[in-house]
Amino acid sequence: MSVFNAYMSLSGATDADVLRDEKLSRRTSYRIGGPARLLVLVHSYAALVKVVKVLAEEHVDWVILGKGSNVLASDAGYDGAVIVLDDEFSRVSVDAESGVVTAGAAALLSRVVSEAAKAELTGLEFCVGIPGTVGGAVSMDAGTRREWVGHRVRDLVVYRPGEGLHRYEGHEIEWGYRGTSIPTSEIILEASFSLDRGEKARISADMESRLARRRRTQPMGKPTCGSVFRNPPDGSAGALIEECGCKGLSSGRAQVSCDHANFIVNNGGASAADVVSLIQIMHDSVLANRGVDLKCEVKLLGFGD
């Protein structure tokens, strides 16, 4: 693997900015993480194709990173290239007549929800308050326990390295609670959502109600990456963790939120090791006391196999 050769080849790439040793704490909502050997901001499809090709030729591992809202990056960083989609992949268009909103993978999910509401289109209100990008939301089928992004995806455009673009119809993808059948080797570029006509006042009221509930029940004002564990069938991960006495528990500068036991917050200066320690304690406590094997939904970056 030659990160240096990749850096030299990509430094002159059109529509791409290449950074060395960029701290991942600047790129994740946890504000945790050491440096990535390379971080490449890709502004166009042509640049993405070139970047992936060069990294493959130099045998440099790579990952796609959105806003890092569901990612815990290692204290040691990532010994490869982190690709961040930008510009061309941030566009959002609304066809109110057909009820279709099309968004690039780098577009903020909050912007898509807002644009849909302005056009009096209903169906994505459940996404209000969910951080991150469209690409991240689609890849993990973000949503609530009963409503998922995948239910509204009409079609999807992905890039298959070495092959080119591919379009999926929404029904061709298996959507599930916090997961999809989209191969991890494919890069999500764009998604179209099929929505319904609605009344602006009702849409706004629904969004305000959902936001108010999030503010009441989830930690605000401190770095976090959202829910740590998936809810088990017919149960609540947060309730199970709280029942086992883990709410408020600390490890270093990381703490199980006092507002919601399925969140871990960074109280300032927390390390990835602090967070991992709490995740392990939470999991083991629930398994030992309730017999439930909670599944972590936080994506780990730079921890190896």
Side-chain angles (χ1 to χ4, degrees), residues 12 91 115 131:
R91 298 171 182 166
E115 293 292 335

Side-chain angles (χ1 to χ4, degrees), residues 95-131:
D95 186 337
E97 190 69 27
S98 64
V100 175
V101 177
T102 301
L108 291 176
L109 184 61
S110 59
R111 181 185 168 198
V112 175
V113 174
S114 177
E115 293 292 335
K118 288 179 184 177
E120 298 186 26
L121 296 176
T122 181
L124 287 179
E125 292 88 332
F126 67 91
C127 290
V128 69
I130 296 178

Side-chain angles (χ1 to χ4, degrees), residues 38-300:
L38 293 180
L39 188 136
V40 188
L41 294 167
V42 177
H43 307 299
S44 68
Y45 173 69
L48 175 63
V49 173
K50 178 174 181 178
V51 167
V52 172
K53 182 175 182 292
V54 168
L55 294 176
E57 291 172 346
E58 297 298 335
H59 305 288
V60 176
D61 293 334
W62 57 267
V63 296
I64 298 291
L65 183 68
K67 289 299 180 181
S69 58
N70 193 43
V71 175
L72 176 64
S74 165
D75 297 317
Y78 179 64
D79 192 27
V82 172
I83 300 174
V84 178
L85 303 182
D86 202 357
D87 290 351
E88 185 178 295
F89 306 101
S90 301
R91 298 171 182 166
V92 177
S93 64
V94 179
D95 186 337
E97 190 69 27
S98 64
V100 175
V101 177
T102 301
L108 291 176
L109 184 61
S110 59
R111 181 185 168 198
V112 175
V113 174
S114 177
E115 293 292 335
K118 288 179 184 177
E120 298 186 26
L121 296 176
T122 181
L124 287 179
E125 292 88 332
F126 67 91
C127 290
V128 69
I130 296 178
T133 61
V134 167
V138 170
S139 68
M140 68 174 292
D141 201 6
T144 66
R145 295 193 60 172
R146 299 175 181 81
E147 299 171 288
W148 307 336
V149 164
H151 292 163
R152 289 291 179 172
V153 173
R154 187 186 72 164
D155 54 59
L156 196 66
V157 178
V158 302
Y159 171 57
R160 292 175 170 173
E163 296 182 30
L165 296 175
H166 178 76
R167 182 182 296 275
Y168 288 104
E169 296 297 322
H171 63 80
E172 295 179 303
I173 300 169
E174 293 179 19
W175 304 96
Y177 180 53
R178 300 299 183 267
T180 76
S181 61
I182 303 168
T184 56
S185 60
E186 299 180 353
I187 302 173
I188 297 171
L189 302 183
E190 182 181 272
S192 290
F193 303 94
S194 182
L195 306 177
D196 303 314
R197 296 295 301 175
E199 295 180 11
K200 193 169 186 177
R202 288 188 177 183
I203 294 171
S204 296
D206 188 13
M207 289 170 61
E208 283 299 324
S209 174
R210 291 173 185 268
L211 274 176
R213 184 179 184 281
R214 285 184 183 275
R215 295 189 187 105
R216 289 195 308 269
T217 61
Q218 297 179 7
M220 306 294 288
K222 290 184 179 181
T224 182
C225 79
S227 298
V228 175
F229 296 100
R230 301 177 185 179
N231 286 316
D234 303 317
S236 165
L240 288 169
I241 294 165
E242 184 171 354
E243 288 169 7
C244 293
C246 294
K247 196 172 188 179
L249 186 67
S250 294
S251 176
R253 296 296 295 165
Q255 182 181 33
V256 179
S257 172
C258 293
D259 298 306
H260 194 307
N262 198 23
F263 285 68
I264 294 175
V265 297
N266 178 356
N267 283 324
S271 67
D274 293 336
V275 176
V276 169
S277 175
L278 285 180
I279 290 175
Q280 192 67 58
I281 292 171
M282 294 156 74
H283 172 272
D284 292 352
S285 295
V286 172
L287 183 60
N289 292 285
R290 294 294 184 268
V292 179
D293 185 11
L294 293 177
K295 305 300 180 185
C296 186
E297 65 178 73
V298 180
K299 294 184 178 179
L300 303 179

